[in-house]
């Protein structure tokens, strides 16, 4: 079995040392696996003081035996993050909680493991005027897909997006009210779903 090793980490927003437990433990999850065995997921942590016991989950990847965990460093709340995909270069995408103004929002991210002299940098992919977004897949050319809010409110609408280093995040629209891009292949073909005529009726699309 492939797993993340137990180790001590200091989590953003935490008041005490944290332990990250391995895949297969009750507080970790794998969301995707590559043909070469690379995995991406969420590594939850538990405070070493049992009476406090806050659980923080960091986005994690394991590729070629190298494990990485990462999170937005500037926020003021404990992480509840997950890496949903990782490519052959170790670049990862997923979701991470972040404080924007007074709101706690979920933002799609891109993690560049080679940046900052190999320390890695996590980048907020942004939205189309709303508060939340989520990146769901990345291919080996760095093409990212996901969904992002286009407005705000109790039930914000969202659209599928594609993103790359060269062009940034781009709205690919919707055939209905909402849309979400779920996966992208090596040729850059995108698949996802959209609301056909209400929030409860969805149809598949290919882009």
């Amino acid at each position: 079995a492939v797993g993340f090793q137990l180790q001590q980490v200091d989590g953003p927003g935490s008041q005490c040392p944290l332990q990250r437990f391995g895949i297969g433990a009750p507080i970790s999850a794998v969301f995707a696996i590559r043909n070469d065995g690379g995995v991406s997921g969420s590594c939850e942590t538990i405070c070493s003081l049992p009476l406090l016991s806050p659980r923080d989950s960091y986005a994690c990847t394991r590729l070629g035996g190298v494990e990485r965990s990462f999170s937005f460093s500037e926020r003021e709340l404990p992480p509840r993050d997950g890496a949903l995909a990782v490519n052959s270069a170790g670049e990862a995408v997923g979701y991470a909680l972040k404080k924007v103004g007074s709101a706690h929002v979920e933002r799609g991210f891109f993690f560049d493991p080679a940046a900052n002299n190999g320390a890695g940098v996590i980048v907020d992919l942004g939205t189309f005027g709303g508060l939340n977004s989520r990146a769901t897949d990345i291919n080996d050319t760095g093409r990212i897909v996901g969904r992002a809010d286009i407005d705000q409110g109790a039930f914000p609408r969202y659209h599928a997006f594609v993103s790359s280093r060269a062009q940034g995040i781009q709205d690919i629209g919707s055939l209905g009210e909402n849309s979400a891009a779920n996966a992208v292949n090596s040729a850059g073909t995108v698949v996802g779903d959209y609301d056909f005529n209400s929030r409860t009726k969805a149809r598949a699309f290919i882009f």
Side-chain angles (χ1 to χ4, degrees):
V2 177
F4 296 104
Q5 299 299 310
L6 177 68
Q7 68 177 39
Q8 289 290 124
V9 297
D10 291 320
S14 298
Q15 302 300 317
C16 53
L18 302 171
Q19 288 184 321
R20 192 179 73 220
F21 291 85
I23 292 174
I27 54 172
S28 60
V30 175
F31 300 133
I33 184 167
R34 295 171 44 83
N35 288 334
D36 58 12
V39 295
S40 54
S42 179
C43 300
E44 293 196 7
T45 59
I46 185 167
C47 182
S48 60
L49 300 178
L51 293 178
L52 298 179
S53 297
R55 282 174 166 78
D56 301 339
S57 55
Y58 294 84
C60 298
T61 61
R62 179 186 174 111
L63 188 67
V66 177
E67 300 166 1
R68 305 292 294 265
S69 63
F70 38 89
S71 180
F72 289 124
S73 60
E74 76 278 9
R75 64 186 176 193
E76 301 175 15
L77 67 161
R80 299 288 186 273
D81 307 343
L84 299 180
V86 59
N87 66 13
S88 60
E91 298 170 334
V93 296
Y95 60 91
L97 289 189
K98 185 176 184 179
K99 189 171 183 180
V100 176
S102 60
H104 293 172
V105 302
E106 180 182 276
R107 285 294 177 88
F109 71 76
F110 165 69
F111 176 71
D112 183 355
N116 194 23
N117 296 319
V121 170
I122 184 171
V123 178
D124 182 348
L125 294 175
T127 70
F128 301 120
L131 292 175
N132 300 282
S133 60
R134 175 175 285 219
T136 52
D137 201 11
I138 182 171
N139 67 11
D140 283 345
T141 67
R143 187 173 176 87
I144 301 166
V145 299
R147 76 180 200 187
D149 289 355
I150 63 172
D151 54 28
Q152 301 180 28
F155 298 100
R157 295 174 298 159
Y158 53 87
H159 279 181
F161 72 75
V162 295
S163 181
S164 67
R165 290 175 186 264
Q167 297 179 324
I169 188 172
Q170 295 180 299
D171 186 347
I172 62 175
S174 177
L175 297 171
E177 183 177 5
N178 299 305
S179 62
N182 300 323
V184 57
N185 67 11
S186 58
T189 303
V190 180
V191 294
D193 59 84
Y194 68 94
D195 291 347
F196 180 59
N197 56 13
S198 74
R199 291 181 178 273
T200 59
K201 296 181 179 180
R203 295 244 177 128
F205 74 81
I206 185 168
F207 176 79

